[in-house]
Amino acid sequence: MVETKTNSPATVQENLLKNVAEGVLVLDDHGIVTSANETAAKILGYKPETLIGRSCDIFWPKDLPPAQRLGFGETIHEGANLRQSDGDAVPVNLTITPISDHIPSSTMISFTSLSDMENMNAALSHTQRMAGLGILTASVAHELNTPLSIIAATCGNLQHEVEDNTLSMEQLLKYIEMIEQSAWRSAKIVEVLRNYSYDTETITAVTDLNMIVEDALTLVHHQFRGEYNIAIDRDLDPDLKTIICDHNGMTQVMINLLINARDAMTPGGGKVTVKTWRMSPDHVKASLNGTAMMHNNEPVDYYAASVTDTGCSVNEKIIDKIYDPFFTTKSKGKGTGLGLFIAKRIMSQHNGRIWMQNNPSGGATFTIALPKNLAEQVK
């Protein structure tokens, strides 16, 4: 007879704590630590065994109620500054959760260092950007090949006419103009590609929302029209003034939305419409069923951009999950599941908003809205 080994609740709890990525502590009714995993100890500057048996007062934030009073209510999520062993404060995302009476402890404290989260988000953003860049390589190569081909052909014609002594001044000026335009086009493509691929911190500067849209379309143009049979329709408001934001970050948002639209129209193709316009705070509020931003007690206007596709709509059952990291409806190997997660994170960094709605005629529209801040005063 084979003996079956069973685990006690305490053993199961201990194994679970060791295998989670965030810091986890378990407190008894008196606020004494009964379990601690390696991550929690590392964040707080202790060894796990030195935390067990000690009061949570050694790390507990002074601005929160004592932990032993929080074990009988609902789960609580908030930002806090925990105290490390050397007395320094470490900012964390903190979750306080009551535990079942079947386990002889009353409260579980889980937390993640904000600096660790920022590093992880930056790494995810870079990974997703590089994945997108790999997908767009063929499109970018073709976009660059077109102006280079024009330059090469024009130089050939110029050489031939010079040798035959048939080159007029008018034709010479025309050739020079063609070479110059193609050279600037090539430089622009290289600049967009370099900016998109460059791994840098968020840098806010004066820029133009329409220019951000055009940069994103530059990277997808050939792929959409050639490989995927997708027409691109622009409806860009020419009266939008400058805006202060991270140009590269917002370009990544637009590319993520465009790639999502592309995949929604695969394999049959269709049309994607990209629009920019000025949006009122009331429109933003109504779209989100929430509140718009205020500045000096005055509503903040927004600059908005939308990407509309003619593909399949988003299943109503998964709308609440589409911004979750690694969530994807695409087949294996066809997507990272990070596009919308990163887009939402970048919009949050800008105090912006992002939302989607299914179109009555099919397909979906994703809209982003950026507070224009003092944009109109920046000339």
Side-chain angles (χ1 to χ4, degrees):
M1 179 177 180
V2 178
E3 182 179 352
T4 302
K5 184 178 179 180
T6 59
N7 291 326
S8 67
T11 302
V12 173
Q13 173 186 314
E14 182 179 352
N15 290 333
L16 286 172
L17 293 184
K18 288 181 178 179
N19 291 285
V20 295
E22 60 186 340
V24 179
L25 302 172
V26 179
L27 312 180
D28 66 13
D29 294 338
H30 304 288
I32 303 299
V33 178
T34 60
S35 294
N37 70 353
E38 291 279 355
T39 305
K42 181 179 179 181
I43 293 174
L44 296 175
Y46 293 91
K47 293 183 178 180
E49 58 269 20
T50 60
L51 279 172
I52 295 174
R54 302 186 68 175
S55 170
C56 66
D57 292 337
I58 63 172
F59 60 80
W60 198 249
K62 294 181 179 180
D63 56 343
L64 289 181
Q68 58 266 38
R69 296 182 188 174
L70 298 173
F72 304 99
E74 297 180 351
T75 298
I76 298 172
H77 304 275
E78 58 183 290
N81 290 310
L82 299 182
R83 289 199 306 278
Q84 295 178 309
S85 59
D86 58 6
D88 289 343
V90 55
V92 299
N93 276 337
L94 182 68
T95 302
I96 305 167
T97 309
I99 297 180
S100 168
D101 291 338
H102 296 295
I103 299 176
S105 302
S106 63
T107 306
M108 182 174 73
I109 311 295
S110 60
F111 49 92
T112 305
S113 168
L114 290 183
S115 62
D116 290 344
M117 289 186 65
E118 290 171 0
N119 291 337
M120 180 184 69
N121 284 334
L124 287 176
S125 180
H126 181 65
T127 298
Q128 194 271 338
R129 189 163 65 249
M130 291 301 99
L133 188 61
I135 294 171
L136 298 172
T137 298
S139 180
V140 174
H142 182 88
E143 288 296 313
L144 190 58
N145 185 62
T146 300
L148 292 178
S149 297
I150 293 174
I151 292 174
T154 303
C155 289
N157 292 338
L158 183 60
Q159 182 180 11
H160 178 73
E161 293 188 26
V162 168
E163 291 174 350
D164 290 348
N165 198 25
T166 59
L167 181 64
S168 66
M169 182 59 66
E170 180 182 358
Q171 189 63 35
L172 174 61
L173 291 175
K174 181 178 180 181
Y175 283 152
I176 292 174
E177 182 181 2
M178 292 174 64
I179 291 173
E180 182 182 35
Q181 290 178 349
S182 297
W184 280 114
R185 173 65 176 164
S186 300
K188 175 63 176 177
I189 294 169
V190 171
E191 180 187 13
V192 171
L193 184 62
R194 180 183 64 84
N195 289 339
Y196 181 68
S197 61
Y198 188 58
D199 190 15
T200 184
E201 296 179 357
T202 299
I203 300 176
T204 56
V206 178
T207 187
D208 184 302
L209 185 57
N210 288 339
M211 187 184 301
I212 290 171
V213 171
E214 292 291 359
D215 283 357
L217 291 175
T218 294
L219 294 177
V220 304
H221 177 267
H222 173 68
Q223 186 191 74
F224 274 38
R225 293 202 171 187
E227 183 179 353
Y228 287 89
N229 192 31
I230 296 172
I232 299 173
D233 187 15
R234 293 171 172 82
D235 183 11
L236 308 184
D237 185 348
D239 295 327
L240 289 185
K241 295 187 179 351
T242 53
I243 190 168
I244 300 174
C245 68
D246 176 18
H247 186 106
N248 294 346
M250 294 310 304
T251 301
Q252 186 172 5
V253 170
M254 291 303 303
I255 288 175
N256 290 354
L257 298 184
L258 286 165
I259 289 176
N260 267 16
R262 178 204 70 187
D263 292 343
M265 293 183 282
T266 302
K271 183 176 77 171
V272 61
T273 302
V274 184
K275 179 182 177 182
T276 63
W277 73 101
R278 180 176 299 200
M279 181 179 286
S280 71
D282 289 339
H283 188 168
V284 175
K285 182 177 179 180
S287 299
L288 295 171
N289 296 319
T291 58
M293 290 185 64
M294 304 285 286
H295 179 69
N296 293 333
N297 296 321
E298 294 293 331
V300 173
D301 283 338
Y302 290 78
Y303 286 167
S306 65
V307 175
T308 300
D309 65 72
T310 58
C312 57
S313 301
V314 179
N315 190 321
E316 297 289 341
K317 295 181 180 180
I318 66 169
I319 286 180
D320 292 338
K321 300 179 181 179
I322 60 176
Y323 300 105
D324 292 347
F326 305 110
F327 177 82
T328 180
T329 58
K330 302 170 188 176
S331 58
K332 188 175 181 180
K334 296 296 184 181
T336 63
L338 292 172
L340 289 177
F341 165 72
I342 289 171
K344 186 172 183 178
R345 183 175 67 83
I346 293 173
M347 293 306 300
S348 296
Q349 291 172 344
H350 286 78
N351 291 319
R353 306 290 186 266
I354 180 171
W355 65 92
M356 68 77 56
Q357 60 189 32
N358 285 321
N359 306 322
S361 58
T365 296
F366 279 85
T367 303
I368 61 171
L370 287 166
K372 69 182 183 67
N373 297 327
L374 304 178
E376 293 209 44
Q377 298 182 22
V378 182
K379 303 297 184 184

